[in-house]
Amino acid sequence: MRPRALAAQTRIELLLTLRRSESLLVTLAIPLGILVFFSKVDAVTDLSDPVDFLVPGVLALAVMSTAMVSLGIATGYERRYGVLKRLGSTPLSRGGLLTAKTANVLLIELAQAAIIVVVGIALGWSTSARILPAVVLLLVGTVAFAGIGLLMAGTLRAETNLALSNALFLLLLFLGGMAYPLSRLPGALRAIAEALPAAALAEAVRDVLSAHAFPLGHVLVLVGWAIAAPVAAACFFTWEE
């Protein structure tokens, strides 16, 4: 793999992402809107300061929007128009292409996290508890959601992938405990939610940033998704429709 070619492809992936206005809406505007709006709504949580609850959830939401929705939809249309097939035959190789896409996702997430943390601090959020474990959990979440996004992108038609990605985003936002506590869900629905990667990531990050007991159950669920989703994507992904 040529480092110069990899850097060039990463730069192109980043520029293409920044040019897609709908992608910026999902990856940045929606998470920030949820953070700012719900931090001012007293009924969102029973906490004295909703920002403490919201910032970890919005960080998880940003990971989901970038690694699953943005990456998955863009890859689906590249597959539809034969871009993946052509790029896979270049000296960059398919492995290099996937590495460039991964680097692009991580760069976008780094910018998202910085902006969310700055806005959270402006709203009164602060933490000194277990930052490094939270970063590790967000990286594991990135692997899980990227696997889900690539699985849909590599197996579905582009239009179907677009519709299902957005529908899944809204469903996981509702069931993810990102804007309001999972305890407000009915018992059976809560059990389903806790088995999904969105709630596992949001709750695990929230627990480590709040210095609560280590969220072993949520971590195990998240790691399971981080293993199963990429493996499924690798098994079933096809490079053209």
Side-chain angles (χ1 to χ4, degrees):
M1 186 184 303
R2 299 179 181 179
R4 186 173 297 178
L6 180 59
Q9 184 62 34
T10 301
R11 177 177 174 274
I12 291 173
E13 295 285 344
L14 183 59
L15 289 174
L16 290 175
T17 300
L18 294 176
R19 289 176 180 175
R20 291 192 291 266
S21 58
E22 71 281 1
S23 176
L24 294 178
L25 175 66
V26 173
T27 59
L28 190 57
I30 291 178
L32 284 178
I34 288 175
L35 175 59
V36 174
F37 176 77
F38 284 102
S39 67
K40 302 300 182 182
V41 178
D42 294 336
V44 172
T45 72
D46 297 328
L47 300 175
S48 58
D49 189 356
V51 177
D52 291 338
F53 177 87
L54 288 167
V55 170
V58 171
L59 287 171
L61 175 61
V63 167
M64 181 173 72
S65 64
T66 301
M68 184 182 75
V69 182
S70 181
L71 175 64
I73 291 175
T75 303
Y77 277 100
E78 289 175 351
R79 174 175 172 262
R80 166 71 176 273
Y81 296 121
V83 175
L84 293 183
K85 182 179 179 181
R86 290 193 293 271
L87 286 175
S89 63
T90 66
L92 178 64
S93 78
R94 291 179 176 179
L97 176 61
L98 293 178
T99 301
K101 286 185 174 295
T102 302
N104 172 56
V105 168
L106 293 176
L107 288 172
I108 294 294
E109 288 182 352
L110 180 62
Q112 286 177 302
I115 294 172
I116 290 168
V117 168
V118 168
V119 173
I121 291 173
L123 292 171
W125 178 74
S126 64
T127 183
S128 58
R130 298 184 291 195
I131 298 296
L132 183 57
V135 172
V136 172
L137 289 170
L138 291 172
L139 290 175
V140 175
T142 298
V143 174
F145 284 113
I148 295 171
L150 291 175
L151 175 62
M152 293 192 296
T155 56
L156 302 172
R157 295 181 62 85
E159 295 84 356
T160 305
N161 175 50
L162 172 64
L164 287 182
S165 293
N166 286 314
L168 185 59
F169 173 78
L170 293 175
L171 177 64
L172 292 179
L173 173 59
F174 174 71
L175 295 177
M178 296 171 177
Y180 57 92
L182 289 178
S183 59
R184 294 195 170 188
L185 296 175
L189 193 58
R190 178 180 177 181
I192 294 173
E194 289 181 339
L196 298 175
L201 177 59
E203 292 296 306
V205 172
R206 186 174 292 119
D207 284 347
V208 298
L209 288 179
S210 301
H212 293 162
F214 187 76
L216 181 60
H218 294 306
V219 171
L220 290 177
V221 171
L222 185 62
V223 170
W225 280 97
I227 294 172
V231 168
C235 292
F236 299 106
F237 192 97
T238 58
W239 290 81
E240 55 183 322
E241 286 189 3

